[in-house]
Amino acid sequence: GAVVSQHPSRVICKSGTSVKIECRSLDFQATTMFWYRQFPKQSLMLMATSNEGSKATYEQGVEKDKFLINHASLTLSTLTVTSAHPEDSSFYICSATQNLGQGNQETQYFGPGTRLLVL
Amino acid sequence: GENVEQHPSTLSVQEGDSAVIKCTYSDSASNYFPWYKQELGKGPQLIIDIRSNVGEKKDQRIAVTLNKTAKHFSLHITETQPEDSAVYFCAATSGGYQKVTFGTGTKLQVIP
C-alpha cells in the first residue's frame, strides 16, 4: 500500500517556541492531505484539510493562526504549531489521499504520527 | 454532518475466537467505509475497506459487512491472535477527498 511518512516522530519543545511537522507521501501524489490531533485513549479529531496550492480548510474551533498549514507540493504538507503551550501537547497525525483511478475512489493513508510535548 | 457510532469500546476475546465490532453512521451520502488498526504510539493503519456498491468483503481472517439500508457496517476478525490486540477505528466518508469521520474506537485484547 501507499506510504506516508512524518517527521519528526517525537519532539519536545519549550513553551512559546514553534514546531514544524512534515508529512510526506512517499510513493504517490496526494492532492489532499489531512491533519488530525489525537488525545490519549480518544479518537482522531480532524484539524484541517490541506489542498496543494491553496489555503487549508480548518475545522470549527481550530485556530488557523496557531496551526499553520502549508501544502507546498503534491507530496509534502507541513503543520507548524506556533507559540506552543503545554495544552498543545498531543499526538499529531497526517493522512494523504490516494486516487486509485477507478472513478471517484480514493483511499486515505495515515502517517505514523508525531508526539509533541511542550514543557 | 456525519456521525459514526462504534461498539463496543472494549473487547476481550480468547485467542482463536472471533471478534466483531459494529458501527452505525448517519449520513446516507457516505459511500466509503474504511477500518483502521492503531497500535500504541503509532498512526492508524488501513486494514480493510468497503464501498457502498458491495455488501461484504473478505481478506484472509478479516471481513467487513455493510448494510446500507440500516446504515450499519461491521468488522469481523476470525481466529484471533495476540498480535491482533490494538485499537480499531471504523470510519465513514462520502469520498471525493472529503473528510473521514471516525468512530470512537474499540480496544481489542486477545488473551493468549
Side-chain angles (χ1 to χ4, degrees), chain B residues 17-30:
Chain B
D17 288 349
S18 296
V20 180
I21 302 171
K22 298 182 178 181
C23 289
T24 61
Y25 63 99
S26 62
D27 188 352
S28 57
S30 290

Side-chain angles (χ1 to χ4, degrees), chain A:
Chain A
V3 179
V4 176
S5 70
Q6 276 184 246
H7 179 79
S9 59
R10 182 176 301 221
V11 58
I12 301 173
C13 69
K14 294 182 179 180
S15 184
T17 60
S18 295
V19 176
K20 179 184 284 188
I21 304 170
E22 292 186 350
C23 177
R24 294 181 184 273
S25 55
L26 297 185
D27 50 3
F28 66 98
Q29 293 184 331
T31 304
T32 304
M33 290 184 171
F34 301 84
W35 287 96
Y36 295 83
R37 183 173 181 176
Q38 186 178 33
F39 292 103
K41 298 183 179 180
Q42 293 189 21
S43 189
L44 285 75
M45 294 176 51
L46 180 65
M47 298 175 66
T49 302
S50 170
N51 293 293
E52 186 266 338
S54 63
K55 292 183 179 180
T57 302
Y58 290 82
E59 294 299 299
Q60 190 174 10
V62 178
E63 299 177 56
K64 63 179 181 180
D65 294 330
K66 180 167 186 62
F67 299 99
L68 300 179
I69 292 173
N70 182 272
H71 197 150
S73 74
L74 287 173
T75 60
L76 173 64
S77 176
T78 60
L79 169 68
T80 301
V81 183
T82 62
S83 186
H85 291 284
E87 56 266 30
D88 298 324
S89 299
S90 189
F91 193 48
Y92 292 88
I93 308 170
C94 73
S95 71
T97 301
Q98 180 186 33
N99 191 318
L100 299 178
Q102 300 171 15
N104 193 30
Q105 296 190 358
E106 298 85 23
T107 300
Q108 273 198 36
Y109 294 94
F110 285 80
T114 296
R115 176 78 58 191
L116 170 64
L117 176 62
V118 185
L119 302 176

